[in-house]
Amino acid sequence: MSTKDSKPNLSHSQAIEIVKRLYGLTVSVIRPLPSYDDQNLYVATSEGAEYVLKVMNSADSQNITVIELQTHTMNFLHQRGLPAQTALPNLTGQLMSLEEFDCGFGTQKYLVRLLTYLPGTTVAKITCSPQILYDVGKMAATLDTVLLQMDHPNIGVLQRKDFIWNLSSVPLLSQYIHVMDGDPVQKVVKAVMEQYQTQVVPKLPLFRKCVNHGDFNDHNLLVKPDGPSKYEISGILDFGDMSCGYFIFELAISIMYMMIENPNPVDVGGPVIAGWESVFPLNEAERDSLYLLVLCRFCQSLVLARHAVIQQPENEEYLMITARTGVRHLCRLWELGKEEVERIWFKSAAQFSQP
């Protein structure tokens, strides 16, 4: 099944009926929210509450155990003071429900959850000061550290072998690389993939393991004002890319996404690393691999976005958010080289003091 055929496309009337039938709530306002391959809808109720109705794509909806574990994780983090969404129990006391709809591709089953709505502005829409970048790094490390304490009978499902967005799966990009035929950046992507095999793979046994959020990006982090000129992180969204991985993967992913909208992208690494190391200092192998892992995440994003646009041409604007500037950032990091980028990042991190 293609991504296009699995993405839900419920009408507002269908969504309103679901909220009433499953949760006993009357919708007063409903509007679409951005999504990669699920359907997200903002819902305000006449009872005065705000929610996000999340309808999973039909492919992921078959992985009920994975979605249940993601929901458990969100609650676990929320209970420990991290600003994660939580799921509202439906009228039967369940946190999710498998529902049948016809979204134009025949009747399919979609997992439905009603999540708390977290107010705030996405990091993508603000000018990121070194302070907020520091906080992003600190929050990413805190999240992974807290998840070390989580025990669940089905936690093994997060060993998502060949999950394409895990940084362990960089070699799997070879099956999609043809979507960049004719693009000069394809040469850089191939070179990065080769260096991953020779420089990162041998170090994997030295990396410290954890559960990764896996998508700590500027659209999945919310902030709210904290005084006249500062922000604080007010929300962590979208646990759909959770998988077992390594601490260093989360840091690399966080740095990469914080670069996307930044006018001085190379300078992003220092404050994020400083925030991260205030919680979880890097070991030598992790530090030595960080530059290349950031490049690898850029490569994943560029290649898989191009592939997704072929599947969902109508969603191109959203799918290419990262790729449009990502090409430029990838090439810039590649041109500067590992030694120079590391010098900038680690010198800045060492000099950075918590604001």
Side-chain angles (χ1 to χ4, degrees), residues 118-123 220-224 232-237:
L118 301 178
T121 304
T122 61
V123 168
N220 285 339
L221 289 174
L222 301 175
V223 293
K224 63 182 181 182
E232 66 176 2
I233 297 174
S234 60
I236 305 168
L237 308 177

Side-chain angles (χ1 to χ4, degrees), residues 30-166:
I30 187 168
R31 64 171 185 265
L33 295 170
S35 178
Y36 191 82
D37 51 12
D38 303 319
Q39 184 176 14
N40 297 329
L41 294 161
Y42 166 85
V43 170
T45 67
S46 57
E47 293 81 5
E50 297 175 293
Y51 302 100
V52 174
L53 181 67
K54 188 168 186 70
V55 186
M56 303 297 296
N57 67 78
S58 59
D60 287 341
S61 292
Q62 297 173 32
N63 301 320
I64 293 177
T65 308
V66 173
I67 308 302
E68 190 276 329
L69 186 58
Q70 291 169 4
T71 308
H72 171 82
T73 300
M74 291 155 61
N75 291 339
F76 181 86
L77 292 170
H78 180 79
Q79 290 165 4
R80 282 152 184 79
L82 277 74
Q85 291 175 293
T86 56
L88 187 75
N90 60 29
L91 293 175
T92 64
Q94 303 301 307
L95 296 179
M96 59 190 190
S97 175
L98 197 59
E99 302 292 321
E100 286 192 350
F101 305 103
D102 187 344
C103 292
F105 315 106
T107 301
Q108 297 184 49
K109 293 181 178 180
Y110 302 92
L111 270 176
V112 175
R113 288 174 292 171
L114 195 63
L115 305 177
T116 49
Y117 177 77
L118 301 178
T121 304
T122 61
V123 168
K125 293 182 178 178
I126 68 166
T127 300
C128 282
S129 65
Q131 169 256 327
I132 197 66
L133 293 171
Y134 179 98
D135 290 346
V136 167
K138 183 176 181 178
M139 181 64 77
T142 300
L143 185 151
D144 283 10
T145 304
V146 169
L147 287 183
L148 288 178
Q149 306 163 21
M150 187 175 74
D151 189 23
H152 190 278
N154 294 322
I155 200 163
V157 301
L158 294 179
Q159 298 282 356
R160 301 170 73 179
K161 181 173 169 55
D162 296 340
F163 176 51
I164 195 64
W165 284 105
N166 191 301

Side-chain angles (χ1 to χ4, degrees), residues 243-259:
S243 63
C244 291
Y246 302 93
F247 280 96
I248 191 62
F249 285 4
E250 199 84 88
L251 175 57
I253 290 167
S254 303
I255 290 174
M256 175 269 184
Y257 284 118
M258 291 307 111
M259 291 176 65

